[in-house]
Amino acid sequence: YSRLKRERNSANYQVLFNNNDVNAVADENGTVISGTFTGVTLRPLIYDEPTEFRSTNLGFSTKYEGDIVKISADASYSKG
């Protein structure tokens, strides 16, 4: 049996320029280094996701060896 609890807490902001740039200048890598932007949208991205994972595993194996017959059996069960 195993159990994992995880929490993902993060707060980020996304800036959408909405193609409203005036005199934007980009360097040779395509990174904008200066410009004037109007109508910019600032959007918060907040994640609060507690997550729990559980897994149950059972296994069984047996063997019988007689004079005439040999028997072996394996069984397993898994749930996640």
Side-chain angles (χ1 to χ4, degrees):
Y1 174 81
S2 65
R3 180 173 143 194
L4 169 67
K5 281 186 154 184
R6 171 183 80 103
E7 288 198 26
R8 175 183 169 199
N9 298 317
S10 65
N12 303 293
Y13 292 91
Q14 183 178 46
V15 178
L16 304 173
F17 292 111
N18 303 319
N19 294 324
N20 295 324
D21 62 278
V22 177
N23 299 324
V25 177
D27 65 11
E28 63 276 357
N29 297 317
T31 302
V32 175
I33 56 174
S34 67
T36 302
F37 301 90
T38 60
V40 173
T41 302
L42 181 63
R43 189 164 59 180
L45 302 171
I46 299 171
Y47 300 102
D48 182 11
E49 298 176 336
T51 307
E52 186 171 327
F53 301 100
R54 291 185 185 195
S55 175
T56 303
N57 303 294
L58 299 170
F60 174 75
S61 178
T62 188
K63 183 178 3 175
Y64 170 78
E65 293 187 21
D67 293 334
I68 299 174
V69 89
K70 293 181 181 179
I71 300 172
S72 64
D74 290 310
S76 63
Y77 170 80
S78 179
K79 179 180 177 182

